[in-house]
Amino acid sequence: MKIVVVGGGSTYTPELVDGFARLRDTLAVDELVLIDPDSERVGLVGGVSARILAKQGHPGRLVTGTDLDEHLDGAAAILLQLRVGGQAARHTDETLPLMCGCVGQETTGAGGLAKALRTVPVVLDIADRIRKRAPEAWIVDFTNPVGIVTRALLDAGHKAVGLCNVAKGFQHTFGDWFGVDPGRVELDHVGLNHLTWERGVRVDGVEVLPRIFAERGEQLAERVKIPIEVMRRHGAIPSYYLRFYYAHDAVVAEQLVQESRAHQVAALERQLLQMYADPALEEKPALLDQRGGAYYSEAAIELVAGLLGAGGTVQVANVRNGDTMPFLSPDAVIEVPCRIDGAGAHPLPIAPIDPLQAGLIAHVAAYEELALQAALHGGIGRVEDALIAHPLIGQTEPAQVLAAEMVSVNRDYLPWAKL
């Protein structure tokens, strides 16, 4: 089996490779290809990745390259984990919205829109090339903003499923707290990508959410940065991304005096690349835990395994809504538990969603539809409309200012903005 990773020069690729080595019984990979336009970087990452496979006795071949078309033939699945513009663009995404008093974040709000504008056209071009060279291959999208990018892929008719590691992280946390394997933890996980709640947590079929609130309330509050009293009242655990909505002004105040996450990650990446250059390094370094993407490898491997043969598994994924959430368009992309098989990811039925959550889901889903139109067709008016539709912006004056600035600083990545 051949797997191709687009964006293989990412510093967290060794986390993914370590997963392929550890979980070889789940997914037997004969050839793993890392593709990245930065030949030096993918060479360093590929070197340590090959040593990780060898150290753990994995028999598969690791290949690196810069030309995607040369390596697509025979691929069973392609993982997308690219970042258009790198950490420099991310820094702008995280800081520019602050000029208007809005949260600066790379996947949420104005920053998430800027990332979508840069990313969607690139991903669609990659997907078209995949369709020509490996038409039966599955595309697994880990590239943010996952919901918008996945919908772009599905709307264009590609075999694609979106993936996020938030649910997998919760499974591991709750498994640790109850002393069980994370696979025994079942989540009632609902929402959109980076806008989700855990409405229930079951261990071996037994509901334990009340116990989590009672016994681990303060730990939980620290993990998601939301008061435990709020979670108890709502009867659900929000992902930490909900803090950008529930505590918007406090987050903006913090961001105004803190170093951007992009600058922090850039510093980590420099250290990691130096470590990867050491020919004695044969395992993923502990420093990689600070980079983000925890449990991405486990989530990705389980999903690909389900799509390519181990059917009937259940996993949280980003998929078409259909009639799962009746208050959304059937074409919307949602993040819920799904049955995974060779035909794709199929959302499982869910209980009705509380108005407090449904209202925000519908609001952000409307923004995502407008954001996709802006990414596909361009035009500063479409960018403004998407910003007005986002609950973290929602006013015409900031939307106009942000749209003009976003288009200006991202002009090199937006062909329509150069006309």
Side-chain angles (χ1 to χ4, degrees), residues 60-412:
R61 185 168 77 107
L62 189 134
V63 178
T64 63
T66 59
D67 188 333
L68 176 63
D69 295 322
E70 290 183 3
H71 296 280
L72 284 173
D73 291 348
I78 292 91
L79 310 184
L80 304 183
Q81 57 174 42
L82 58 151
R83 180 183 294 279
V84 180
Q87 296 301 328
R90 176 179 178 170
H91 174 73
T92 302
D93 296 344
E94 293 175 340
T95 55
L96 192 151
L98 297 174
M99 66 184 287
C100 291
C102 299
V103 160
Q105 213 277 330
E106 65 155 338
T107 64
T108 297
L113 176 57
K115 194 171 195 299
L117 294 176
R118 294 190 305 269
T119 304
V120 166
V122 173
V123 166
L124 289 178
D125 176 68
I126 290 169
D128 285 341
R129 292 153 68 185
I130 292 169
R131 182 151 50 193
K132 292 176 182 176
R133 303 298 292 264
E136 299 304 315
W138 279 100
I139 299 174
V140 174
D141 178 60
F142 194 65
T143 296
N144 284 316
V146 167
I148 296 172
V149 173
T150 301
R151 177 158 180 181
L153 288 164
L154 293 173
D155 284 358
H158 297 290
K159 292 178 59 177
V161 180
L163 180 66
C164 183
N165 62 335
V166 167
K168 184 62 68 174
F170 273 129
Q171 284 183 296
H172 275 267
T173 295
F174 301 147
D176 289 344
W177 287 355
F178 287 94
V180 302
D181 184 275
R184 292 164 58 186
V185 178
E186 180 184 353
L187 302 175
D188 181 4
H189 178 106
V190 297
L192 309 176
N193 181 243
H194 290 182
L195 191 85
T196 53
W197 295 261
E198 312 304 330
R199 301 184 301 174
V201 180
R202 290 176 287 278
V203 175
D204 295 334
V206 177
E207 181 59 64
V208 295
L209 185 58
R211 282 187 59 189
I212 291 174
F213 286 153
E215 300 172 11
R216 301 280 186 168
E218 293 310 313
Q219 284 177 270
L220 187 60
E222 176 60 27
R223 188 186 193 282
V224 301
K225 306 299 182 185
I226 291 172
I228 184 60
E229 295 80 11
V230 173
M231 289 185 271
R232 287 195 181 109
R233 188 170 73 250
H234 295 171
I237 302 169
S239 79
Y240 56 85
Y241 288 94
L242 266 297
R243 184 169 186 257
F244 298 123
Y245 299 84
Y246 294 168
H248 175 275
D249 293 353
V251 172
V252 169
E254 293 170 2
Q255 291 180 334
L256 286 169
V257 297
Q258 291 176 345
E259 182 182 32
S260 73
R261 175 62 178 163
H263 276 176
Q264 295 171 10
V265 171
L268 280 171
E269 288 190 333
R270 288 191 292 270
Q271 291 179 264
L272 286 167
L273 289 171
Q274 289 177 351
M275 298 173 75
Y276 296 166
D278 181 356
L281 184 65
E282 299 176 319
E283 59 187 21
K284 63 175 184 176
L287 183 65
L288 188 55
D289 293 341
Q290 300 179 35
R291 172 63 181 82
Y295 308 116
Y296 162 44
S297 63
E298 184 178 321
I301 289 164
E302 289 178 2
L303 178 57
V304 172
L307 294 171
L308 297 181
T313 59
V314 173
Q315 186 173 356
V316 170
N318 284 260
V319 295
R320 288 281 199 207
N321 174 49
D323 59 3
T324 306
M325 298 184 193
F327 55 89
L328 295 183
S329 162
D331 290 335
V333 167
I334 60 175
E335 186 172 294
V336 293
C338 299
R339 178 176 55 81
I340 312 297
D341 60 27
H346 315 279
L348 299 176
I350 62 172
I353 298 176
D354 185 278
L356 184 68
Q357 298 155 1
L360 187 53
I361 291 171
H363 199 161
V364 176
Y367 148 77
E368 290 192 344
E369 185 165 348
L370 291 170
L372 179 56
Q373 292 307 307
L376 291 173
H377 304 295
I380 196 163
R382 291 189 180 93
V383 176
E384 287 183 20
D385 288 347
L387 290 168
I388 291 170
H390 202 294
L392 295 181
I393 300 137
Q395 300 181 69
T396 56
E397 185 175 345
Q400 290 171 351
V401 172
L402 286 171
E405 291 294 326
M406 285 167 48
V407 170
S408 177
V409 299
N410 288 285
R411 193 173 301 277
D412 290 344

Side-chain angles (χ1 to χ4, degrees), residues 15-29:
E15 149 70 18
L16 179 63
V17 173
D18 179 74
F20 279 115
R22 290 184 295 101
L23 302 175
R24 70 192 75 174
D25 292 339
T26 302
L27 186 68
V29 177

Side-chain angles (χ1 to χ4, degrees), residues 29-43:
V29 177
D30 303 308
E31 182 177 354
L32 181 61
V33 183
L34 308 182
I35 298 294
D36 199 282
D38 189 328
S39 59
E40 180 179 4
R41 185 170 173 133
V42 77

